[in-house]
Every structure is written in structure tokens, then in C-alpha cells.
Amino acid sequence: TMNNNPNRESSASQKRRILEYLKTGKTLTNREAQRLFECDRAPARIKELRNIGYPIRTEMITVKSGKRIGRYSLQVETAAQ
């Protein structure tokens, strides 16, 4: 059966934009993904990127409200640590 998901193209676009953003060395939270890319399901896009081999790290951080959220970053190989 064909996938008639109207969000399929936007999901692919969001995934591409998230990846390009993370490649710049920046980190991203779900809320930032909503604001920057109109992406309501950042964890799903991150999972899809991981499934195709991108080493995306999740760091749990505590925000001002006391809530713990995930902050995503792309792991990069560095020559010297």
C-alpha cells in the first residue's frame, strides 16, 4: 500500500533540516525544533536519523521549571581531546 501520510514530505524536510543544524555543532531540544523547524516530533526525527547511522547523542538537562528534557547533539570525531 502507498503511504498517504500528508506529513511524509515535511517529515523528510524536517529530518534534513535538523541534521544540517546539528552538523553545525549546535545542540537542539524538542522545543527548539518546534520553534525553528515547526517539528512537533523531534524525538521521532532523531530516531530516524540514528536508524540510518548518524551518531546523535541525547543529554538530559534540567530546565528552569525543574523539568528534565533531552538535548540532542551530533557526535563528531575529534583528533585531540
Side-chain angles (χ1 to χ4, degrees):
T1 61
M2 250 180 87
N3 182 350
N4 292 324
N5 179 352
N7 294 319
R8 188 172 47 163
E9 181 56 41
S10 62
S11 294
S13 174
Q14 289 167 352
K15 188 167 59 175
R16 190 168 51 248
R17 292 168 70 197
I18 287 170
L19 179 61
E20 291 305 314
Y21 186 83
L22 292 175
K23 280 182 174 179
T24 67
K26 296 176 184 164
T27 62
L28 188 69
T29 65
N30 191 44
R31 180 165 287 173
E32 289 167 339
Q34 289 171 337
R35 183 171 45 83
L36 294 169
F37 309 120
E38 297 178 10
C39 177
D40 292 327
R41 299 190 61 227
R45 302 293 83 81
I46 295 295
K47 184 173 193 268
E48 291 165 2
L49 289 166
R50 285 181 176 137
N51 287 346
I52 57 174
Y54 289 98
I56 297 173
R57 177 172 179 260
T58 302
E59 176 188 5
M60 295 306 293
I61 61 169
T62 304
V63 293
K64 287 179 189 171
S65 67
K67 181 178 176 184
R68 288 181 56 73
I69 63 168
R71 180 167 61 192
Y72 308 108
S73 60
L74 188 63
Q75 291 180 297
V76 290
E77 298 294 325
T78 53
Q81 299 247 343

Coordinates of all heavy atoms in Angstrom, one line a residue:
T1 N 0.8 -1.2 0.0 CA 0.0 0.0 0.0 C 0.9 1.2 0.0 O 2.0 1.2 0.5 CB -0.9 0.0 1.2 OG1 -0.1 0.1 2.4 CG2 -1.9 -1.1 1.2
M2 N 0.3 2.3 -0.6 CA 1.1 3.5 -0.6 C 0.9 4.3 0.7 O -0.1 4.2 1.4 CB 0.5 4.4 -1.7 CG 1.4 4.6 -2.9 SD 0.7 5.7 -4.1 CE 1.2 7.3 -3.5
N3 N 2.0 5.0 1.1 CA 1.9 5.8 2.3 C 1.2 7.1 1.9 O 1.8 7.9 1.2 CB 3.3 6.0 2.8 CG 3.3 6.8 4.1 OD1 2.3 7.4 4.5 ND2 4.4 6.9 4.8
N4 N 0.0 7.3 2.3 CA -0.7 8.6 2.0 C -0.5 9.6 3.2 O -1.4 10.5 3.3 CB -2.1 8.3 1.8 CG -2.3 7.5 0.5 OD1 -1.6 7.8 -0.5 ND2 -3.3 6.6 0.4
N5 N 0.5 9.5 4.0 CA 0.7 10.4 5.1 C 1.0 11.8 4.5 O 2.0 12.0 3.8 CB 1.9 9.9 5.9 CG 2.2 10.8 7.1 OD1 1.7 11.9 7.2 ND2 3.1 10.3 7.9
P6 N 0.2 12.8 4.8 CA 0.4 14.1 4.3 C 1.6 14.8 4.9 O 2.2 15.7 4.3 CB -0.9 14.9 4.6 CG -1.4 14.1 5.8 CD -1.0 12.7 5.6
N7 N 2.1 14.2 6.0 CA 3.3 14.8 6.6 C 4.6 14.2 6.2 O 5.6 14.5 6.6 CB 3.2 14.7 8.1 CG 2.0 15.5 8.7 OD1 1.8 16.6 8.2 ND2 1.3 14.9 9.6
R8 N 4.5 13.2 5.3 CA 5.7 12.5 4.9 C 6.8 13.4 4.3 O 7.9 13.4 4.7 CB 5.4 11.4 3.9 CG 6.6 10.5 3.6 CD 6.2 9.3 2.7 NE 5.4 9.8 1.6 CZ 5.2 9.1 0.5 NH1 5.6 7.9 0.4 NH2 4.4 9.6 -0.5
E9 N 6.4 14.3 3.4 CA 7.4 15.2 2.8 C 7.9 16.2 3.9 O 9.1 16.5 4.0 CB 6.8 16.0 1.7 CG 7.7 17.0 1.0 CD 9.0 16.3 0.5 OE1 9.0 15.2 0.0 OE2 10.1 16.9 0.7
S10 N 7.0 16.7 4.8 CA 7.5 17.6 5.8 C 8.4 16.9 6.8 O 9.4 17.5 7.3 CB 6.4 18.4 6.5 OG 5.5 17.4 7.1
S11 N 8.1 15.6 7.1 CA 8.9 14.9 8.0 C 10.4 14.7 7.4 O 11.3 14.9 8.1 CB 8.4 13.5 8.2 OG 7.1 13.6 8.9
A12 N 10.4 14.4 6.1 CA 11.7 14.3 5.4 C 12.5 15.6 5.5 O 13.7 15.7 5.7 CB 11.6 13.8 4.0
S13 N 11.7 16.7 5.2 CA 12.3 18.0 5.2 C 12.8 18.4 6.6 O 13.9 18.9 6.8 CB 11.3 19.0 4.7 OG 11.8 20.3 4.9
Q14 N 12.0 18.1 7.6 CA 12.4 18.4 9.0 C 13.6 17.6 9.4 O 14.6 18.1 10.0 CB 11.3 18.0 10.0 CG 10.1 19.0 9.9 CD 8.9 18.4 10.6 OE1 8.8 17.3 11.0 NE2 7.9 19.3 10.7
K15 N 13.7 16.3 9.0 CA 14.8 15.5 9.3 C 16.1 16.1 8.7 O 17.1 16.1 9.3 CB 14.5 14.1 8.8 CG 15.5 13.0 9.2 CD 15.0 11.6 9.0 CE 14.7 11.4 7.5 NZ 14.4 10.0 7.3
R16 N 16.0 16.5 7.4 CA 17.1 17.1 6.7 C 17.6 18.4 7.4 O 18.8 18.6 7.6 CB 16.7 17.3 5.3 CG 17.8 17.7 4.3 CD 17.4 17.6 2.9 NE 16.2 18.4 2.6 CZ 15.0 17.8 2.3 NH1 14.9 16.5 2.2 NH2 13.9 18.6 2.1
R17 N 16.6 19.2 7.8 CA 17.0 20.5 8.4 C 17.6 20.3 9.8 O 18.5 21.0 10.2 CB 15.7 21.4 8.5 CG 15.3 21.8 7.0 CD 13.9 22.4 7.0 NE 14.0 23.7 7.7 CZ 12.9 24.4 8.1 NH1 11.7 23.8 7.9 NH2 13.0 25.5 8.7
I18 N 17.0 19.3 10.5 CA 17.6 19.0 11.9 C 19.0 18.5 11.7 O 19.9 19.0 12.4 CB 16.7 18.0 12.6 CG1 15.4 18.6 13.1 CG2 17.5 17.3 13.8 CD1 14.4 17.7 13.6
L19 N 19.3 17.6 10.8 CA 20.6 17.1 10.6 C 21.6 18.2 10.2 O 22.7 18.3 10.8 CB 20.6 16.0 9.5 CG 22.0 15.4 9.2 CD1 22.6 14.7 10.4 CD2 21.8 14.5 8.0
E20 N 21.2 19.1 9.3 CA 22.1 20.2 8.9 C 22.4 21.1 10.1 O 23.5 21.6 10.2 CB 21.4 21.0 7.7 CG 21.4 20.2 6.4 CD 22.8 19.7 6.0 OE1 23.8 20.4 6.0 OE2 22.8 18.5 5.6
Y21 N 21.4 21.3 10.9 CA 21.5 22.2 12.1 C 22.5 21.5 13.0 O 23.4 22.2 13.5 CB 20.2 22.4 12.7 CG 20.2 23.3 13.9 CD1 20.0 24.7 13.7 CD2 20.2 22.9 15.2 CE1 20.0 25.6 14.8 CE2 20.2 23.7 16.3 CZ 20.1 25.1 16.1 OH 20.1 26.0 17.1
L22 N 22.3 20.2 13.3 CA 23.2 19.5 14.2 C 24.7 19.5 13.7 O 25.6 19.5 14.4 CB 22.7 18.1 14.5 CG 21.4 18.1 15.4 CD1 21.0 16.6 15.5 CD2 21.6 18.7 16.7
K23 N 24.8 19.4 12.4 CA 26.1 19.3 11.7 C 26.9 20.6 12.0 O 28.2 20.6 11.9 CB 26.0 19.1 10.2 CG 25.8 17.6 9.9 CD 25.7 17.4 8.4 CE 25.6 16.0 8.0 NZ 25.5 15.8 6.5
T24 N 26.3 21.7 12.3 CA 27.0 23.0 12.6 C 27.6 23.0 14.0 O 28.3 23.9 14.3 CB 26.1 24.2 12.4 OG1 25.1 24.2 13.5 CG2 25.4 24.2 11.1
G25 N 27.3 21.9 14.7 CA 27.9 21.8 16.1 C 26.9 22.3 17.2 O 27.2 22.3 18.3
K26 N 25.8 22.8 16.8 CA 24.8 23.3 17.7 C 24.0 22.1 18.3 O 24.0 21.0 17.8 CB 23.8 24.2 17.0 CG 24.4 25.5 16.5 CD 23.4 26.3 15.7 CE 24.1 27.5 15.1 NZ 23.2 28.1 14.1
T27 N 23.4 22.4 19.5 CA 22.5 21.4 20.1 C 21.1 21.8 19.9 O 20.8 22.9 19.5 CB 22.8 21.3 21.7 OG1 22.5 22.6 22.2 CG2 24.2 20.9 22.0
L28 N 20.2 20.8 20.1 CA 18.8 21.0 19.8 C 17.9 20.3 20.8 O 18.1 19.2 21.1 CB 18.5 20.5 18.4 CG 17.1 20.8 17.8 CD1 17.0 22.3 17.5 CD2 16.9 20.0 16.5
T29 N 16.9 21.0 21.3 CA 15.9 20.4 22.2 C 14.6 20.3 21.4 O 14.5 20.9 20.3 CB 15.6 21.2 23.4 OG1 15.0 22.5 23.0 CG2 16.9 21.5 24.3
N30 N 13.6 19.5 21.9 CA 12.4 19.4 21.2 C 11.7 20.7 21.0 O 11.2 21.0 19.9 CB 11.5 18.4 22.0 CG 10.2 18.0 21.3 OD1 10.3 17.7 20.1 ND2 9.1 18.0 21.9
R31 N 11.7 21.6 22.0 CA 11.1 22.9 21.9 C 11.8 23.8 20.9 O 11.1 24.5 20.1 CB 11.1 23.6 23.3 CG 10.4 25.0 23.2 CD 10.1 25.6 24.5 NE 9.0 24.8 25.1 CZ 8.5 25.0 26.3 NH1 9.1 25.8 27.1 NH2 7.5 24.3 26.7
E32 N 13.1 23.7 20.8 CA 13.8 24.5 19.8 C 13.5 23.9 18.4 O 13.3 24.7 17.4 CB 15.3 24.4 20.0 CG 15.8 25.1 21.2 CD 17.2 24.8 21.7 OE1 17.7 23.7 21.3 OE2 17.8 25.6 22.4
A33 N 13.3 22.6 18.2 CA 12.9 22.0 17.0 C 11.5 22.5 16.6 O 11.3 22.8 15.4 CB 13.0 20.5 17.0
Q34 N 10.6 22.6 17.5 CA 9.3 23.2 17.2 C 9.4 24.6 16.7 O 8.7 24.9 15.7 CB 8.4 23.1 18.5 CG 8.0 21.7 18.9 CD 7.3 21.7 20.3 OE1 7.5 22.6 21.1 NE2 6.6 20.6 20.5
R35 N 10.2 25.4 17.4 CA 10.3 26.8 17.0 C 11.0 27.0 15.7 O 10.6 27.8 14.9 CB 11.0 27.6 18.2 CG 11.1 29.0 18.0 CD 11.6 29.8 19.2 NE 12.8 29.1 19.8 CZ 14.0 29.3 19.5 NH1 14.3 30.1 18.5 NH2 15.0 28.7 20.1
L36 N 12.1 26.3 15.5 CA 13.0 26.5 14.4 C 12.5 25.8 13.1 O 12.6 26.4 12.0 CB 14.4 26.0 14.6 CG 15.2 26.8 15.7 CD1 16.4 26.1 16.1 CD2 15.5 28.2 15.2
F37 N 11.9 24.6 13.3 CA 11.6 23.8 12.1 C 10.1 23.4 12.0 O 9.7 22.6 11.2 CB 12.4 22.5 12.1 CG 13.9 22.8 12.3 CD1 14.6 22.3 13.3 CD2 14.6 23.6 11.4 CE1 16.0 22.6 13.5 CE2 15.9 23.9 11.5 CZ 16.6 23.4 12.6
E38 N 9.3 23.9 12.9 CA 7.9 23.5 13.0 C 7.7 22.0 13.1 O 6.9 21.4 12.5 CB 7.1 24.1 11.8 CG 7.1 25.6 11.8 CD 6.4 26.2 10.6 OE1 5.7 25.4 9.8 OE2 6.4 27.4 10.4
C39 N 8.6 21.4 13.9 CA 8.7 20.0 14.0 C 8.1 19.6 15.4 O 8.8 19.9 16.4 CB 10.1 19.5 13.9 SG 10.3 17.7 14.1
D40 N 7.0 19.0 15.4 CA 6.4 18.6 16.7 C 6.9 17.3 17.2 O 6.6 16.9 18.4 CB 4.8 18.6 16.6 CG 4.2 19.9 16.4 OD1 4.8 20.9 16.9 OD2 3.2 20.0 15.7
R41 N 7.6 16.5 16.4 CA 8.0 15.2 16.8 C 9.5 15.0 16.6 O 10.0 14.1 16.0 CB 7.2 14.1 16.1 CG 5.7 14.2 16.3 CD 5.0 13.0 15.8 NE 5.4 11.8 16.4 CZ 5.7 10.7 15.7 NH1 5.6 10.7 14.4 NH2 6.1 9.6 16.3
A42 N 10.3 15.9 17.2 CA 11.7 15.9 17.1 C 12.3 14.5 17.5 O 13.2 14.0 16.8 CB 12.4 17.0 17.9
P43 N 11.8 13.9 18.6 CA 12.4 12.6 19.0 C 12.2 11.5 17.9 O 13.1 10.7 17.7 CB 11.6 12.2 20.3 CG 11.2 13.5 20.9 CD 10.9 14.4 19.7
A44 N 11.1 11.6 17.2 CA 10.9 10.7 16.1 C 11.9 10.9 14.9 O 12.5 10.0 14.4 CB 9.5 10.8 15.5
R45 N 12.1 12.2 14.6 CA 13.1 12.6 13.6 C 14.5 12.1 14.0 O 15.3 11.6 13.2 CB 13.1 14.1 13.3 CG 11.8 14.6 12.8 CD 11.2 14.2 11.5 NE 10.6 12.9 11.5 CZ 9.3 12.7 11.9 NH1 8.5 13.8 12.3 NH2 8.7 11.5 11.9
I46 N 14.9 12.3 15.3 CA 16.2 12.0 15.8 C 16.3 10.4 15.7 O 17.4 10.0 15.3 CB 16.4 12.4 17.3 CG1 16.4 14.0 17.3 CG2 17.6 11.8 17.9 CD1 17.5 14.7 16.7
K47 N 15.3 9.7 16.0 CA 15.4 8.2 16.0 C 15.6 7.8 14.5 O 16.4 6.9 14.2 CB 14.1 7.6 16.5 CG 14.1 6.1 16.6 CD 12.8 5.6 17.3 CE 13.0 4.2 17.6 NZ 12.4 3.3 16.6
E48 N 14.9 8.4 13.6 CA 15.1 8.1 12.1 C 16.5 8.4 11.7 O 17.1 7.6 11.0 CB 14.1 8.9 11.3 CG 12.7 8.5 11.5 CD 11.7 9.5 10.9 OE1 12.1 10.5 10.3 OE2 10.5 9.3 11.1
L49 N 17.1 9.5 12.2 CA 18.5 9.8 11.8 C 19.4 8.8 12.4 O 20.4 8.4 11.8 CB 18.8 11.2 12.3 CG 18.2 12.3 11.5 CD1 18.3 13.7 12.2 CD2 18.7 12.4 10.1
R50 N 19.2 8.4 13.7 CA 20.0 7.3 14.3 C 19.9 6.0 13.5 O 20.9 5.3 13.3 CB 19.6 7.1 15.7 CG 20.0 8.2 16.7 CD 19.6 7.9 18.1 NE 20.1 8.9 19.0 CZ 19.4 9.4 20.0 NH1 18.1 9.0 20.2 NH2 19.9 10.3 20.8
N51 N 18.7 5.7 13.1 CA 18.5 4.4 12.4 C 19.3 4.4 11.1 O 19.5 3.3 10.6 CB 17.0 4.2 12.1 CG 16.2 3.9 13.4 OD1 16.8 3.5 14.4 ND2 14.9 3.9 13.3
I52 N 19.6 5.5 10.5 CA 20.4 5.5 9.2 C 21.8 5.8 9.5 O 22.6 6.0 8.6 CB 19.8 6.4 8.1 CG1 19.7 7.9 8.6 CG2 18.4 5.9 7.7 CD1 19.3 8.8 7.5
G53 N 22.2 5.8 10.8 CA 23.7 5.8 11.1 C 24.2 7.0 11.7 O 25.4 7.0 12.0
Y54 N 23.5 8.1 11.9 CA 24.0 9.3 12.5 C 24.2 9.1 14.0 O 23.2 8.7 14.7 CB 23.2 10.5 12.2 CG 23.3 10.9 10.7 CD1 22.3 10.5 9.8 CD2 24.4 11.6 10.2 CE1 22.5 10.8 8.5 CE2 24.5 11.9 8.9 CZ 23.6 11.5 8.0 OH 23.7 11.8 6.7
P55 N 25.4 9.4 14.5 CA 25.6 9.2 16.0 C 25.1 10.5 16.8 O 25.9 11.3 17.1 CB 27.2 9.1 16.1 CG 27.7 9.9 14.9 CD 26.6 9.8 13.8
I56 N 23.9 10.5 17.0 CA 23.3 11.6 17.8 C 23.2 11.2 19.2 O 22.7 10.2 19.6 CB 21.9 12.0 17.2 CG1 22.1 12.4 15.7 CG2 21.2 13.1 18.0 CD1 20.8 12.7 15.0
R57 N 23.6 12.1 20.1 CA 23.7 11.9 21.5 C 22.5 12.7 22.1 O 22.2 13.7 21.7 CB 25.0 12.5 22.0 CG 25.3 12.5 23.4 CD 26.7 12.9 23.7 NE 27.0 12.9 25.1 CZ 26.9 14.0 25.9 NH1 26.7 15.2 25.3 NH2 27.1 13.9 27.2
T58 N 22.0 12.1 23.2 CA 21.0 12.8 24.0 C 21.5 13.0 25.4 O 21.9 12.1 26.1 CB 19.7 11.9 24.1 OG1 19.2 11.6 22.8 CG2 18.6 12.7 24.9
E59 N 21.6 14.3 25.8 CA 22.0 14.6 27.1 C 20.7 15.1 27.8 O 20.0 16.0 27.3 CB 23.0 15.8 27.0 CG 23.4 16.3 28.4 CD 24.3 17.6 28.3 OE1 24.5 18.1 27.2 OE2 24.8 18.0 29.3
M60 N 20.5 14.6 29.0 CA 19.3 15.0 29.8 C 19.8 16.2 30.6 O 20.8 16.2 31.3 CB 18.9 13.9 30.7 CG 18.3 12.7 30.0 SD 17.0 13.0 28.8 CE 15.7 13.6 29.8
I61 N 19.0 17.3 30.4 CA 19.3 18.5 31.2 C 18.0 19.0 31.9 O 16.9 18.5 31.6 CB 19.7 19.7 30.2 CG1 18.6 20.0 29.2 CG2 21.0 19.3 29.5 CD1 18.8 21.3 28.4
T62 N 18.2 19.8 33.0 CA 17.1 20.3 33.8 C 16.9 21.8 33.4 O 17.9 22.5 33.5 CB 17.4 20.1 35.3 OG1 17.7 18.8 35.5 CG2 16.2 20.6 36.1
V63 N 15.7 22.1 33.0 CA 15.4 23.5 32.6 C 14.9 24.2 33.9 O 14.7 23.6 34.9 CB 14.4 23.5 31.5 CG1 15.0 23.0 30.2 CG2 13.1 22.8 31.8
K64 N 14.7 25.5 33.7 CA 14.3 26.4 34.9 C 13.1 25.9 35.7 O 13.1 26.0 36.9 CB 14.0 27.8 34.4 CG 15.3 28.6 34.0 CD 14.9 30.0 33.5 CE 16.1 30.7 32.8 NZ 15.7 31.9 32.2
S65 N 12.1 25.3 35.0 CA 10.9 24.8 35.6 C 11.2 23.6 36.5 O 10.3 23.2 37.3 CB 9.9 24.5 34.6 OG 10.3 23.4 33.8
G66 N 12.4 23.0 36.3 CA 12.7 21.8 37.0 C 12.5 20.5 36.2 O 12.8 19.4 36.6
K67 N 11.9 20.7 35.0 CA 11.6 19.6 34.1 C 12.9 19.1 33.5 O 13.7 19.9 33.1 CB 10.6 20.1 33.1 CG 10.2 19.0 32.1 CD 9.1 19.5 31.1 CE 8.8 18.5 30.1 NZ 7.9 19.0 29.1
R68 N 13.0 17.8 33.3 CA 14.2 17.3 32.6 C 13.8 17.0 31.2 O 12.8 16.4 30.9 CB 14.7 16.0 33.3 CG 15.3 16.3 34.6 CD 15.9 15.1 35.3 NE 16.8 14.2 34.6 CZ 18.1 14.5 34.3 NH1 18.6 15.7 34.7 NH2 18.8 13.7 33.7
I69 N 14.7 17.5 30.3 CA 14.4 17.3 28.8 C 15.7 16.8 28.2 O 16.8 16.9 28.7 CB 14.0 18.6 28.2 CG1 15.1 19.7 28.3 CG2 12.6 19.1 28.8 CD1 14.8 20.9 27.4
G70 N 15.5 16.3 26.9 CA 16.7 15.8 26.2 C 17.2 16.9 25.3 O 16.5 17.7 24.7
R71 N 18.5 17.0 25.2 CA 19.2 18.0 24.3 C 20.1 17.1 23.4 O 20.9 16.4 23.8 CB 20.0 18.9 25.1 CG 20.8 20.0 24.3 CD 21.3 21.1 25.0 NE 22.3 20.6 26.0 CZ 22.8 21.4 27.0 NH1 22.4 22.7 27.1 NH2 23.7 20.9 27.8
Y72 N 19.8 17.2 22.1 CA 20.5 16.4 21.1 C 21.7 17.1 20.5 O 21.7 18.3 20.3 CB 19.5 16.1 20.0 CG 18.2 15.5 20.4 CD1 17.0 16.3 20.4 CD2 18.1 14.2 20.9 CE1 15.8 15.7 20.8 CE2 16.9 13.7 21.4 CZ 15.8 14.5 21.3 OH 14.6 13.9 21.8
S73 N 22.7 16.3 20.2 CA 23.9 16.8 19.6 C 24.4 15.7 18.7 O 24.2 14.5 18.9 CB 24.9 17.3 20.6 OG 25.4 16.2 21.4
L74 N 25.1 16.1 17.6 CA 25.8 15.1 16.7 C 27.2 14.9 17.2 O 27.9 15.9 17.4 CB 25.8 15.7 15.3 CG 26.2 14.8 14.2 CD1 25.3 13.6 14.1 CD2 26.3 15.5 12.9
Q75 N 27.5 13.6 17.5 CA 28.9 13.3 18.0 C 29.8 13.5 16.8 O 29.6 13.0 15.7 CB 28.9 11.9 18.5 CG 28.1 11.7 19.8 CD 28.2 10.3 20.3 OE1 27.7 9.4 19.6 NE2 28.8 10.2 21.5
V76 N 30.9 14.2 17.1 CA 31.9 14.4 16.0 C 33.2 13.8 16.5 O 33.5 13.9 17.6 CB 32.0 15.9 15.6 CG1 30.8 16.4 14.9 CG2 32.3 16.8 16.8
E77 N 33.9 13.3 15.5 CA 35.2 12.7 15.8 C 36.2 13.9 16.0 O 36.2 14.8 15.1 CB 35.7 11.8 14.7 CG 34.8 10.6 14.5 CD 34.8 9.6 15.7 OE1 35.9 9.5 16.3 OE2 33.8 9.1 16.0
T78 N 37.0 13.9 17.0 CA 38.0 15.0 17.2 C 39.3 14.3 17.3 O 39.5 13.2 17.9 CB 37.7 15.8 18.5 OG1 37.6 14.9 19.6 CG2 36.4 16.6 18.3
A79 N 40.3 14.9 16.7 CA 41.7 14.4 16.7 C 42.3 14.5 18.0 O 43.0 13.6 18.5 CB 42.5 15.1 15.6
A80 N 42.2 15.6 18.7 CA 42.8 15.8 20.0 C 41.7 16.1 21.0 O 40.8 16.9 20.7 CB 43.8 16.9 20.0
Q81 N 41.8 15.5 22.2 CA 40.7 15.7 23.2 C 41.3 16.5 24.4 O 42.5 16.3 24.7 CB 40.2 14.4 23.7 CG 39.5 13.7 22.6 CD 38.0 13.5 22.8 OE1 37.5 13.7 23.8 NE2 37.3 13.2 21.7

